[in-house]
Amino acid sequence: SWNKYLEYQYLRKWEALGINFTAGMVGQWNLTKAKLFSNSDFNSSKYALYGQVDKMFGDKLNLTLGARSEFNRVQSRDSLGHTSYPNENESEPVFRTGINYSLTEYTFLRASYGQAYRFPTIAEKFITTTFGTVPIVPNYALQSEKGWSTEFGIKQGTKIGNLLGFVDLAFFESQYSNMIEFTIDRRAFPEFAFQAQNIGNTVIRGFEFSYF
């Protein structure tokens, strides 16, 4: 594999307005050739633009707004099996927002929401190998993961004798469509193989508690 990566980032502060602005662009180019990946050459590239604004309202409230647009391309110069693999192009925008509020000097409330997007890797789409006697086969039709996550939390300062610290409690939920996971391909039953597949919609809920 040969990999090239380039990123440009711009930062600007307007202290009188309480605004921090971040923006940038990313380029990534990869050339891969391996027997593991259907014994083919793959050119993959990724381009992204992003921006985020952080705004303070007084000395208690902080608001964040951000966005990112990503473009992915995969090209193969070889045939896969008996057919040529078509060039694949895909783009997707994602957004995020967050809020942090200082309720008291040592009590902080926060909430956030963010979207997620992940284009399948070359290994997930094109790997051809074996694990012992079990084959691991490619999945040319693998789709991208998409989803979102949200969190609500509170951080409380504490003092026990001379010991100072924070208690943090957060509740979160994440939902994904087309979640990718290596699983058993049963279409050739009773023979079977492992393959990266879109296993469907996934929901993750929970909470975290920490003291530091």
Side-chain angles (χ1 to χ4, degrees):
S1 291
W2 293 264
N3 184 68
K4 290 181 286 186
Y5 179 89
L6 177 66
E7 180 173 1
Y8 174 81
Q9 189 175 87
Y10 174 79
L11 306 174
R12 178 70 185 272
K13 292 184 178 181
W14 289 278
E15 295 184 0
L17 299 175
I19 293 177
N20 290 340
F21 176 69
T22 306
M25 49 188 172
V26 175
Q28 187 170 353
W29 303 267
N30 184 270
L31 172 62
T32 301
K33 181 175 182 179
K35 291 183 179 180
L36 282 175
F37 304 142
S38 305
N39 200 29
S40 301
D41 285 10
F42 291 98
N43 282 303
S44 61
S45 55
K46 176 188 296 185
Y47 306 94
L49 295 172
Y50 62 87
Q52 179 170 300
V53 175
D54 296 280
K55 166 66 175 173
M56 284 294 300
F57 295 88
D59 58 355
K60 289 183 174 294
L61 180 63
N62 182 62
L63 178 65
T64 297
L65 295 172
R68 174 184 171 98
S69 182
E70 185 173 303
F71 173 82
N72 290 275
R73 170 177 289 174
V74 176
Q75 300 169 290
S76 176
R77 295 181 293 185
D78 301 315
S79 296
L80 304 178
H82 300 289
T83 61
S84 296
Y85 178 75
N87 296 339
E88 184 173 359
N89 303 308
E90 185 177 278
S91 60
E92 186 75 18
V94 293
F95 302 91
R96 65 177 299 233
T97 184
I99 188 171
N100 198 311
Y101 182 73
S102 177
L103 188 62
T104 68
E105 186 177 2
Y106 298 106
T107 304
F108 305 92
L109 303 177
R110 69 181 183 276
S112 63
Y113 171 85
Q115 295 176 317
Y117 163 73
R118 189 177 75 85
F119 189 75
T121 65
I122 291 176
E124 289 170 328
K125 289 179 74 78
F126 303 110
I127 189 168
T128 303
T129 186
T130 59
F131 181 73
T133 59
V134 179
I136 303 175
V137 297
N139 184 355
Y140 305 147
L142 198 62
Q143 301 297 306
S144 298
E145 293 179 346
K146 299 178 183 179
W148 57 266
S149 295
T150 188
E151 179 187 278
F152 300 92
I154 180 171
K155 184 167 67 172
Q156 174 64 55
T158 62
K159 182 178 181 181
I160 304 175
N162 294 324
L163 182 63
L164 302 178
F166 281 96
V167 173
D168 191 277
L169 177 63
F171 299 88
F172 61 86
E173 179 173 335
S174 299
Q175 295 192 16
Y176 299 95
S177 60
N178 292 331
M179 175 71 82
I180 298 174
E181 186 174 285
F182 273 95
T183 187
I184 296 176
D185 182 8
R186 301 180 182 275
R187 289 173 292 183
F189 187 81
E191 297 181 358
F192 66 91
F194 280 104
Q195 183 185 61
Q197 295 182 358
N198 297 115
I199 61 174
N201 297 333
T202 303
V203 179
I204 304 169
R205 297 187 182 98
F207 69 91
E208 296 177 341
F209 174 83
S210 60
Y211 177 78
F212 53 92

